[in-house]
Amino acid sequence: MDVEKVKRWSKYTDRVEGYKDLKYVLEYCLDRHLTDEERSRINWLAESGWDNVGCLVDMFREIAKKKQ
């Protein structure tokens, strides 16, 4: 694994950080607030491991950049 990614994604060992970043980037991409059900799923995903969360956040950010 890329050392830079490990450094960048290591903050996602904290579920709260993962949830916050996933929620923010998804709301930005979707241009709306998430529903209660969607937030619940994001909370579940935030516990799926730092590397999974980091990869998802990066992909969603890539989509957000394409939106601009």
Side-chain angles (χ1 to χ4, degrees):
M1 180 171 289
D2 183 343
V3 174
E4 197 57 39
K5 286 182 181 175
V6 172
K7 287 180 185 177
R8 193 170 65 239
W9 295 351
S10 64
K11 74 177 189 172
Y12 298 124
T13 56
D14 178 0
R15 181 196 56 78
V16 174
E17 286 295 319
Y19 172 80
K20 183 176 66 174
D21 283 0
L22 284 167
K23 180 180 175 292
Y24 173 80
V25 75
L26 282 168
E27 287 181 336
Y28 178 81
C29 289
L30 296 169
D31 198 27
R32 65 173 175 82
H33 292 288
L34 299 178
T35 66
D36 288 341
E37 183 177 341
E38 291 166 336
R39 285 192 302 275
S40 174
R41 301 299 189 262
I42 294 304
N43 193 42
W44 176 80
L45 279 173
E47 295 180 341
S48 67
W50 64 271
D51 52 344
N52 291 326
V53 175
C55 185
L56 287 169
V57 169
D58 279 354
M59 287 188 295
F60 292 139
R61 284 184 177 144
E62 184 179 339
I63 291 169
K65 287 179 184 175
K66 290 181 179 185
K67 179 183 171 186
Q68 293 175 348

